[in-house]
């Protein structure tokens, strides 16, 4: 099997852009990724594309990938839309990696795009609920924040985690986002503000939830032995893993872990031949603050039940033992569903190349980075481990 | 899954109205909701219908804030406001997701004993969808004759 390298990455700012549609966003991320290949690449060298997307205008759109490659002038190549809820482009990236590993392709595009803010509010309410269990959870009046709230309350009950710990995740990620010119929220917040903002689903407040964002992200991958032709600073895919779990939270035995994440991480560490302690920087799926605390445990950054302690001791801040979400994470950087996974890849590639726009946001000397992208309430998860050459 | 049509809802009426679980004849696991392949042993087995008692404890809960409810619950949001949704661990083992009713918000906690009651859940296409909610089990009041 061939080894795989990332030679270029691009990402729009995540946020609310009234003047940009799904096409403009995707083209912007694509052009940045092409220009990011420092020795240059002819876009026609791209042989295949995998693109993450949940829907357009609150509904699914047939042949989405054909539209996307048409917009970037690559009509003709095989293209596939990948949908795994919020993990769509994480799985698109995985498909691109496998296409190269297998020897079918030499150069492949992986990306994602989502336009969420031009959907009328009531339609958005409907649409946001489609990535979990509809038949039972949603028809009991449950929402996505509600499902994570159920996990949070169990984590508090079993391990003594407090609302303050959840708020600490929000404060840290807003602090990082404030230094990221591509983040949706570029402002800091305080523990008091996070704790005292309106409840969305007890015990989660609005500050425990990620925003609804527009955005796109693209990565260009190639066979590792060809990478130096395109760039002096390739970033290598050292390992990956993926998994699934029971779709409905209520059918799971333990609410304080995502089995899909645990399975994905185990495979990725094994393939990369590393241990969790070897990871220098991670972008994890903090769709809600409790999800970041659970991710610390599921990814092995601390023992089960000690996620709250890890955030409290500042170990996941930039400068800490294992900096998590230097981009601001989904919480502050934003969460344009289909673009989030390759957006995490974008951040880790920048970190490993020592190219964070502001030095205060750069994790110094990072050599190994991890991305963790979760679909829905843990129905799917995918982990990638990237390494500097 | 997204929209749950009236026929799709009807198919699950034994579960929604009467809490009928399916005990796998291969491994004994009680599947709720119904399914064709046992969630525990993974076999396409024979299932024995079993009426669940509707008694259980709150395993976890949340309070869905008014303004954030799913579209099916806009009427409830309009007239009731925020409402609690819980995961109930039934005495027979399966967990179930349902709204709470006849509760006092300040007394809700993990471990609280609850029982199933038949209630209206929501309206759609001018059809009322009925199902199960759970209420706290209270000590029976002793009425003195008058």
């Amino acid at each position: 099997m061939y080894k795989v390298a990332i030679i270029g990455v691009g990402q729009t700012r995540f946020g609310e852009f009234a003047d940009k549609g799904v096409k403009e966003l995707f083209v912007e991320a694509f052009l940045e990724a092409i220009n990011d290949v420092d020795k240059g690449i002819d876009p026609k060298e791209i042989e295949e594309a995998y693109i993450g997307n949940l829907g357009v205008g609150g509904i699914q759109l047939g042949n989405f990938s054909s539209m996307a490659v048409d917009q970037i002038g690559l009509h003709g190549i095989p293209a596939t839309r990948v949908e795994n809820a919020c993990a769509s482009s994480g799985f698109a990236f995985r498909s691109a990696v496998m296409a190269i590993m297998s020897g079918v392709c030499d150069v492949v595009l992986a990306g994602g795009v989502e336009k969420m803010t031009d959907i009328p509010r009531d339609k958005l309410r409907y649409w946001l609920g489609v990535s979990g269990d509809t038949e039972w959870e949603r028809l009991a009046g449950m929402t996505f924040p509600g499902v994570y709230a159920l996990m949070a309350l169990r984590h508090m009950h079993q391990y003594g985690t407090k609302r303050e710990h959840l708020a600490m995740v929000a404060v840290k990620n807003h602090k990082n986002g404030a230094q990221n010119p591509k983040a949706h929220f570029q402002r800091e917040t305080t523990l008091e503000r996070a704790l005292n903002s309106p409840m969305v689903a007890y015990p989660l407040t609005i500050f425990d939830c990620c925003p609804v964002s527009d955005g796109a992200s693209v990565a260009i991958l190639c066979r590792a032995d060809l990478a130096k032709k395109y760039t002096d600073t390739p970033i290598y895919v050292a390992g990956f893993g993926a998994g699934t779990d029971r779709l409905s939270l209520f059918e799971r035995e333990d609410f304080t872990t995502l089995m899909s994440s645990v399975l994905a991480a185990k495979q990725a560490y094994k393939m990369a031949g590393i241990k969790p302690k070897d990871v220098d920087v991670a972008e994890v799926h903090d769709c809600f603050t409790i999800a970041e605390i659970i991710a610390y445990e599921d990814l092995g950054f601390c023992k089960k039940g000690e996620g709250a302690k890890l955030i409290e001791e500042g170990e996941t801040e930039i400068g800490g033992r294992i900096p998590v979400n230097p981009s601001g994470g989904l919480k502050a950087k934003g969460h344009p569903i289909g673009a989030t996974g390759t957006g995490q890849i974008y951040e880790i590639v920048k970190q490993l190349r020592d190219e964070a726009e502001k030095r205060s946001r750069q994790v110094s000397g990072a050599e190994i980075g991890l991305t963790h992208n979760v679909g829905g309430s843990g129905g799917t998860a995918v982990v990638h481990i990237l390494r500097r050459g | 899954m997204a929209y749950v049509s009236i026929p799709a809802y009807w198919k699950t009426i034994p579960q929604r109205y009467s809490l009928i679980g399916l005990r796998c004849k291969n491994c004994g696991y009680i599947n709720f909701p119904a399914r064709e392949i046992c969630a525990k042993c993974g076999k396409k087995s024979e299932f024995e219908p079993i009426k669940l008692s509707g008694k259980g404890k709150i395993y976890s809960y949340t309070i869905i804030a008014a303004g954030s409810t799913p579209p099916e619950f806009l009427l409830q949001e309009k007239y009731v406001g925020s409402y609690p949704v819980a995961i109930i661990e039934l005495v027979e083992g399966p967990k179930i997701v349902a709204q709470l009713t006849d509760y006092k918000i300040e007394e809700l906690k993990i471990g609280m004993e609850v029982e199933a009651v038949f209630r209206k859940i929501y309206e759609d296409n001018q059809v009322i969808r009925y199902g199960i909610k759970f209420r706290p089990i209270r000590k029976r009041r002793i009425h003195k004759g008058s």
Side-chain angles (χ1 to χ4, degrees):
Chain A
M1 281 192 293
Y2 293 98
K3 292 195 179 307
V4 181
I6 305 162
I7 52 174
V9 287
Q11 190 209 292
T12 66
R13 185 183 166 185
F14 288 175
E16 188 170 351
F17 307 115
D19 56 334
K20 288 177 192 168
V22 68
K23 294 174 181 173
E24 291 87 352
L25 289 165
F26 187 64
V27 168
E28 186 182 325
F30 169 73
L31 291 177
E32 189 189 327
I34 292 294
N35 290 329
D36 185 54
V37 181
D38 54 1
K39 290 186 185 169
I41 185 170
D42 178 354
K44 298 285 180 201
E45 292 180 63
I46 296 169
E47 297 162 280
E48 178 139 9
Y50 295 93
I51 302 156
N53 176 262
L54 189 65
V56 177
I59 52 168
Q60 285 195 357
L61 191 67
N63 248 333
F64 175 86
S65 61
S66 163
M67 182 272 281
V69 291
D70 188 5
Q71 289 298 313
I72 57 176
L74 291 183
H75 50 282
I77 65 168
T80 308
R81 166 180 175 262
V82 179
E83 186 280 301
N84 261 357
C86 315
S88 293
S89 57
F91 275 89
F93 186 84
R94 179 173 178 269
S95 294
V97 170
M98 292 195 295
I100 294 169
M101 282 177 82
S102 66
V104 172
C105 299
D106 290 343
V107 183
V108 179
L109 179 152
V113 57
E114 209 73 57
K115 176 72 192 174
M116 301 178 75
T117 65
D118 62 359
I119 300 168
R121 188 181 146 78
D122 284 345
K123 203 166 186 181
L124 189 69
R125 278 188 187 199
Y126 188 88
W127 187 56
L128 286 180
V130 302
S131 298
D133 169 56
T134 319
E135 268 190 291
W136 298 90
E137 285 178 351
R138 156 115 152 238
L139 291 192
M142 185 56 85
T143 60
F144 252 109
V147 171
Y148 276 90
L150 295 170
M151 297 183 201
L153 207 67
R154 280 307 301 187
H155 207 279
M156 291 170 164
H157 180 75
Q158 289 174 225
Y159 301 112
T161 303
K162 295 187 164 49
R163 280 189 58 220
E164 284 75 6
H165 294 116
L166 306 181
M168 284 174 201
V169 173
V171 170
K172 170 182 73 71
N173 290 353
H174 271 264
K175 186 180 171 192
N176 294 347
Q179 303 169 75
N180 182 356
K182 290 199 166 173
H184 190 155
F185 295 140
Q186 297 177 25
R187 56 175 188 269
E188 297 196 14
T189 192
T190 62
L191 211 57
E192 293 69 32
R193 180 144 190 236
L195 283 169
N196 297 320
S197 57
M199 279 289 172
V200 171
Y202 170 82
L204 304 183
T205 72
I206 190 87
F207 267 88
D208 290 306
C209 308
C210 69
V212 165
S213 318
D214 303 331
S217 53
V218 165
I220 315 283
L221 300 85
C222 81
R223 241 172 64 189
D225 57 317
L226 306 174
K228 288 282 168 80
K229 186 176 116 187
Y230 299 106
T231 177
D232 289 328
T233 54
I235 298 299
Y236 298 96
V237 179
F240 63 84
T244 54
D245 197 355
R246 308 289 297 271
L247 179 65
S248 313
L249 182 74
F250 73 92
E251 294 192 78
R252 298 182 197 158
E253 278 188 21
D254 186 354
F255 285 13
T256 65
T257 179
L258 299 183
M259 188 183 80
S260 53
S261 295
V262 173
L263 294 171
K266 202 179 272 183
Q267 294 164 34
Y269 287 133
K270 190 179 174 198
M271 190 189 286
I274 65 162
K275 299 258 183 272
K277 66 172 171 50
D278 300 322
V279 176
D280 298 315
V281 56
E283 285 282 302
V284 311
H285 199 92
D286 60 326
C287 48
F288 299 94
T289 50
I290 183 63
E292 180 164 320
I293 288 178
I294 290 175
Y296 296 161
E297 301 171 8
D298 288 346
L299 299 171
F301 297 158
C302 64
K303 285 187 195 141
K304 183 76 213 141
E306 293 186 359
K309 195 173 149 213
L310 199 69
I311 182 79
E312 190 173 338
E313 292 178 351
E315 299 281 35
T316 54
E317 288 172 24
I318 293 168
R321 180 166 63 80
I322 166 69
V324 172
N325 286 331
S327 72
L330 281 63
K331 176 72 201 79
K333 182 189 180 187
H335 183 27
I337 301 177
T340 292
T342 35
Q344 294 177 325
I345 298 283
Y346 171 89
E347 172 69 14
I348 293 297
V349 165
K350 292 283 180 182
Q351 288 285 348
L352 297 182
R353 286 191 198 148
D354 198 30
E355 283 179 1
E357 309 83 357
K358 291 189 183 172
R359 300 317 293 167
S360 52
R361 210 168 64 75
Q362 176 66 48
V363 176
S364 63
E367 292 193 359
I368 296 177
L370 178 147
T371 62
H372 164 248
N373 193 195
V374 174
S377 45
T380 47
V382 58
V383 167
H384 287 95
I385 294 170
L386 308 183
R387 191 172 222 150
R388 197 159 69 183
Chain B
M1 298 258 334
Y3 177 69
V4 178
S5 66
I6 291 168
Y9 200 90
W10 281 351
K11 276 181 70 178
T12 55
I13 277 181
Q15 280 79 49
R16 295 186 191 276
Y17 281 24
S18 313
L19 288 177
I20 302 297
L22 293 176
R23 196 200 312 259
C24 173
K25 286 190 177 169
N26 181 55
C27 73
Y29 181 74
I30 300 171
N31 289 266
F32 187 96
R35 48 201 300 142
E36 304 239 336
I37 291 173
C38 176
K40 183 90 174 180
C41 68
K43 293 227 164 59
K44 172 90 176 77
S45 147
E46 295 282 310
F47 293 100
E48 174 197 353
I50 155 171
K51 169 112 175 87
L52 301 168
S53 66
K55 300 262 194 297
K57 289 179 178 173
I58 294 180
Y59 182 78
S60 192
Y61 72 95
T62 181
I63 298 158
I64 304 297
S68 74
T69 63
E72 290 87 351
F73 294 84
L74 288 173
L75 260 185
Q76 183 174 2
E77 176 183 298
K78 186 177 168 189
Y79 293 113
V80 180
S82 306
Y83 54 80
V85 184
I87 304 292
I88 311 300
E89 189 168 30
L90 297 172
V91 291
E92 293 89 353
K95 290 199 281 285
I96 183 169
V97 58
Q99 285 193 19
L100 298 172
T101 187
D102 305 339
Y103 56 86
K104 286 181 193 147
I105 207 94
E106 63 278 7
E107 69 182 7
L108 297 182
K109 59 171 195 232
I110 288 176
M112 182 182 213
E113 294 190 340
V114 291
E115 63 188 357
V117 280
F118 193 63
R119 286 285 190 274
K120 177 172 153 182
I121 306 296
Y122 70 98
E123 290 179 21
D124 190 29
N125 282 319
Q126 296 190 312
V127 176
I128 295 174
R129 312 275 185 113
Y130 289 103
I132 298 290
K133 292 188 181 184
F134 283 81
R135 69 177 173 204
I137 296 177
R138 298 187 196 285
K139 284 181 190 152
R140 192 170 296 156
R141 285 201 197 104
I142 298 163
H143 294 281
K144 291 183 178 164
S146 58

